[in-house]
Amino acid sequence: MTSPFGPAALPYGVFSPAGEAPRVGVRLGDTVVDLAATLGGDVFARPSLNAFMATGHAEWVRTRRRVTDLVSGDIPDEAVHALSDVTLHLPIEVGDYVDFYASEHHATNVGRLFRPGSDPLTPNWKHLPIGYHGRAGTVVVSGTDVVRPSGQRRPPGADAPTFGPSVRLDIEAEVGFVVGTGSALGAPVPVTEFATRVFGVVLLNDWSARDLQAWEYVPLGPFLGKSFATSISAWVLPLLALDAARVPTPVQDPEPLPYLRETDPWGLDLDISVTWNGQEVSRPPYRTMYWSPAQMLAHLTVNGASTRTGDLFASGTVSGPEKDQRGAFLELTWGGEEPIVVAGEERTFLRDGDEVVLTATAPGPDGTRVGLGEVRGRVRPAR
Ligand code: MN
């Protein structure tokens, strides 16, 4: 099988060879090509993609053409580094971070688990993409260890909370969208501007402490159960590499309000894989997501909130209709009631030392596959 990181993908990232300054490169197979050394200019000799992203859509198109030409010819040896010889850094300087809840299957499962006996979907769910503002400063790059969070939880049947390390540490397999060019305060971004404002996508793991979350989330939503760490891939795959991956969203009924209407709402045909201690436990399909990424951006700005280069908004947990397509262990093990076998052991939530890896591919041109960068993280004991 050919690499999903061939010339049809060319995701951007920030790397540094030992002892050298971080700069922008593109991934080609198991190598990284130094764009500061090959393309020159002002925007690549920098420790994040933000300056390049801020140049705007026309420049993204032009640069992708130059990079495609570059990798199809002879690249100077000194500009090519083995991935194993470099350090990969957080690729973007994250502005604001928003996490949505756009999977109907995930929202339905969580509704059943957190609010048994009531409608699994809240009355607003099919009228707006539900989201919350997260913590941009704790977005970390793939490979960063995650320290088990401590906090308050109320054990089942107890009257009062206790404090200590989370005992229900979980993952959420998600896709993140990176804003390339921002929008002014007071100016909503229409659905039609998505593809020129959003630069690209990352894979994202929204680590979640379910016991902290269950106790704190009423009435204002997620807080400390989510804000301790959010991991993203070191590579940002440009939307320009995902033309062949566009698929219609599921039918939206009832019809959304006018500002959320698209002629043909589209999502992405990404196949995600969740690996837990080396064993694949789930394959969430992004194509089943109810709300489109353009609707998410339109909704998060419809009140006039501005956006900036580097803003990140995530899809929410990607879960398909089948049990082995669920993107969180909460759902896979049905709240811990139905353990799954991982590497020969019955498991529910994460133990110290566990490692989770998310990978994903999508259709590329001419029957090829294009890859998103992996998201890898290992759980370290609470401090
Ligand atoms: Mn989430």
Side-chain angles (χ1 to χ4, degrees):
M1 192 184 131
T2 54
S3 168
F5 298 101
L10 300 176
Y12 295 92
V14 172
F15 75 101
S16 57
E20 297 182 29
R23 63 254 198 179
V24 174
V26 292
R27 179 166 176 178
L28 183 65
D30 290 326
T31 68
V32 51
V33 179
D34 186 338
L35 293 189
T38 50
L39 298 191
D42 181 40
V43 295
F44 300 119
R46 304 221 188 189
S48 88
L49 295 175
N50 288 42
F52 169 49
M53 294 194 299
T55 59
H57 185 263
E59 190 60 25
W60 307 340
V61 172
R62 201 173 77 90
T63 299
R64 186 163 168 84
R65 255 188 241 124
R66 294 176 70 199
V67 173
T68 302
D69 289 346
L70 174 71
V71 302
S72 65
D74 289 327
I75 315 171
D77 281 350
E78 62 274 17
V80 182
H81 302 266
L83 272 179
S84 53
D85 289 345
V86 302
T87 301
L88 298 175
H89 303 272
L90 189 66
I92 57 173
E93 194 180 324
V94 183
D96 288 301
Y97 168 52
V98 165
D99 193 21
F100 282 98
Y101 194 51
S103 162
E104 183 173 1
H105 303 289
H106 172 70
T108 301
N109 287 334
V110 171
R112 289 198 176 116
L113 287 162
F114 273 37
R115 295 180 304 278
S118 55
D119 279 343
L121 289 185
T122 49
N124 55 1
W125 201 90
K126 290 207 166 177
H127 295 279
L128 54 84
I130 292 177
Y132 66 94
H133 283 92
R135 192 166 186 83
T138 51
V139 175
V140 297
V141 71
S142 172
T144 306
D145 286 346
V146 173
V147 174
R148 180 180 298 275
S150 290
Q152 288 195 23
R153 68 174 174 280
R154 191 174 67 178
D159 292 331
T162 59
F163 180 89
S166 170
V167 296
R168 286 163 75 89
L169 183 58
D170 195 359
I171 64 144
E172 293 191 335
E174 306 195 15
V175 173
F177 298 87
V178 179
V179 173
T181 47
S183 51
L185 192 64
V189 177
V191 286
T192 49
E193 288 187 16
F194 172 80
T196 52
R197 293 210 175 263
V198 168
F199 175 76
V201 302
V202 291
L203 265 183
L204 183 147
N205 184 347
D206 175 23
W207 302 90
S208 298
R210 301 301 181 190
D211 41 357
L212 278 54
Q213 182 186 355
W215 171 233
E216 74 180 359
Y217 88 106
V218 179
L220 287 186
F223 189 37
L224 303 180
K226 298 278 193 173
S227 63
F228 54 94
T230 305
S231 301
I232 64 170
S233 52
W235 300 103
V236 182
L237 187 64
L239 274 187
L240 295 169
L242 287 165
D243 285 346
R246 293 188 186 195
V247 285
T249 60
V251 173
Q252 297 182 337
D253 182 21
E255 185 179 34
L257 287 167
Y259 78 92
L260 290 171
R261 268 179 222 159
E262 288 178 271
T263 316
D264 296 299
W266 55 270
L268 295 168
D269 188 11
L270 305 175
D271 281 320
I272 302 172
S273 166
V274 180
T275 300
W276 187 355
N277 292 344
Q279 181 181 325
E280 184 177 80
V281 293
S282 179
R283 293 192 62 84
Y286 193 86
R287 65 187 155 275
T288 60
M289 300 297 275
Y290 188 86
W291 293 105
S292 78
Q295 289 170 323
M296 296 182 215
L297 181 60
H299 185 65
L300 89 82
T301 58
V302 73
N303 63 348
S306 52
T307 59
R308 293 176 289 180
T309 298
D311 280 6
L312 174 67
F313 63 97
S315 61
T317 306
V318 183
S319 288
E322 307 300 328
K323 183 165 181 181
D324 62 0
Q325 295 179 328
R326 295 174 184 167
F329 300 156
L330 176 77
E331 292 168 82
L332 268 177
T333 67
W334 207 250
E337 299 294 308
E338 300 172 10
I340 59 171
V341 176
V342 180
E345 279 187 288
E346 287 211 333
R347 301 298 306 275
T348 53
F349 293 99
L350 289 161
R351 290 184 195 154
D352 294 344
D354 280 1
E355 185 179 59
V356 175
V357 182
L358 310 181
T359 57
T361 63
D366 308 318
T368 58
R369 301 290 293 177
V370 294
L372 278 74
E374 69 174 21
V375 182
R376 179 182 296 271
R378 189 179 292 280
V379 178
R380 295 300 178 197
R383 292 205 181 118

